[in-house]
Each structure stands twice: as structure tokens, then as C-alpha cells.
Amino acid sequence: MVLPRAARTQRRTRIQEEKEEQILEAALEVFSAHGFRGSTIDQIAEVAGMSKPNLLYYFRTKEAMHRALIDRVLDTWLDPLREFNADGNPVAEIRSYIRRKLEMARDFPRESRLFANEVLQGAPRIEDELKGPLKALVDEKAEVIRAWAKAGKIAKCDPYHLIFAIWSTTQHYADFDVQVRAVLGQENAGDWRFEDAARFLERLFVDGLQVSERPSSEHDEGE
């Protein structure tokens, strides 16, 4: 994790910690709106209500601020997947995962757009994390889903595409929030839209993973 410059030079005081959070909050606002390439230190300083030299005391470069935010996002974003419990009930685990991802889309939309912007640019600053810790975690949970299917608890499916599908449908409500609210209309675009989405996605995924009983036939009965 990239540490602020002040943290590398001395033990941080409460005021320094507050300043760092103030800067990162401003950086999140700017990066999520304009992407890394479209953002400047001047913009971040203005949103933070600080002078540029003061900001640079804490974070020497735009890259350092962006990296600190990305590290946080990756850690937070993967928590629901880490909690995917191999010993739990598959339907309950999948329902919980869908709901936690939608809660994150509701509560952390800027973080979701920050991550999406980075990936859309080819993930130049997080490629190692995607190919390393992220892939390892997804591989681990893919084996959990395969084991459930092998045990007959859910229908057979490609576990990677199941995870991708949950990511895309839940994060859509953060990354394309303006479009979602525009299409739903003002009367349907309140926070309850996330509950409506949760119920729909639960049915979509859980119904699709139900184990179908093979219809009996005369041949079967005669065996």
C-alpha cells in the first residue's frame, strides 16, 4: 500500500490523519468524475479546500493519491467475495453475495466508478493485483461453486461467468446510476430501487441455479 508522504517521514498526528482523509475524499470525488487522466492536482486541491503545496506535503503525486484510493477500493470490494462460505447453504450464500454487492453499489458509488475507470483504461496501475490476489481469490471461490454443483446442491455452471455476471449486474447500479435513474423515472428512482434490484437478481440467479429434476420416462421406470 502506498503511504502518504507525511506517514513516511514521521508518526502521523490526528490532524495529519484528518488532512490525509480530507485529501483522499477530494481525490475520490475528482477521480470518480473525471478518471485518472482527466484529473489534476489543482482540481483535487480545490475540492479539498487546500493549497497545492499543502496537499503535496501529504501526497507528492497524483499517482500516490490514486494508488491509495485503489488499494482501499480493492480491499473493500473483495470483502463480500472473501466471505463466500464453502460450508454455507449455496442459495443463502449467493443471495447474501448479491445483496452485499448491491449495498456497496448503493453506499460506495464513487469507489465503483473509480475502479471501473481504471479498468476501462486497461488497468495500468492495478494489473498486478488483478492477475495476482484478485485472480487467486476468484479461483478459490470458483472451486467452491464447482464443489456445490458436483454435490448436486446447484445446477452445473461456469463459476467464473457466474461471478462476472453478479459483478456486472450489481455494479451497474453504481457505474451507470444516472442512466438507471433516468430510465426508472423520478417516482421509481429512490433508494428502494436497490431493494427492487436485489429481489429481481436473487430470482434471476437463484432460479437459474436450481437443480432441475430429470423427468421420468417409461424407460427409466422399467430399469
Side-chain angles (χ1 to χ4, degrees), residues 72-198:
R72 285 187 179 185
V73 169
L74 280 171
D75 189 51
T76 303
W77 230 237
L78 294 178
D79 275 346
L81 190 58
R82 292 189 187 103
E83 294 186 10
F84 220 66
N85 185 1
D87 298 323
N89 177 280
V91 170
E93 291 298 318
I94 291 166
R95 287 182 187 274
S96 177
Y97 187 51
I98 291 168
R99 284 191 171 267
R100 289 204 65 191
K101 290 294 290 179
L102 278 170
E103 287 169 3
M104 296 186 74
R106 179 195 66 201
D107 298 338
F108 305 106
R110 295 177 303 168
E111 287 84 347
S112 182
R113 290 192 287 271
L114 173 79
F115 184 78
N117 279 328
E118 174 66 13
V119 173
L120 286 171
Q121 292 176 14
R125 287 160 288 275
I126 61 169
E127 186 175 5
D128 289 344
E129 283 77 7
L130 297 184
K131 292 180 177 179
L134 174 63
K135 175 172 171 49
L137 179 61
V138 174
D139 286 344
E140 175 190 333
K141 301 307 178 180
E143 287 305 312
V144 170
I145 296 169
R146 283 199 185 99
W148 286 340
K150 187 175 181 179
K153 296 178 179 179
I154 61 172
K156 290 183 178 179
C157 65
D158 185 309
Y160 293 98
H161 290 294
L162 173 61
I163 292 171
F164 293 159
I166 293 174
W167 286 353
S168 60
T169 51
T170 55
Q171 289 171 216
H172 177 89
Y173 290 90
D175 300 341
F176 294 90
D177 178 61
V178 172
Q179 175 178 271
V180 169
R181 288 187 286 110
V183 172
L184 288 177
Q186 185 175 356
E187 67 279 7
N188 296 313
D191 280 349
W192 59 84
R193 70 187 183 277
F194 292 98
E195 178 59 31
D196 292 342

Side-chain angles (χ1 to χ4, degrees), residues 13-31:
T13 65
R14 179 181 59 82
I15 293 176
Q16 286 174 327
E17 290 176 349
E18 290 174 355
K19 289 291 185 181
E20 289 162 13
E21 289 303 316
Q22 180 181 339
I23 292 168
L24 289 176
E25 172 67 19
L28 177 60
E29 187 70 26
V30 174
F31 285 136

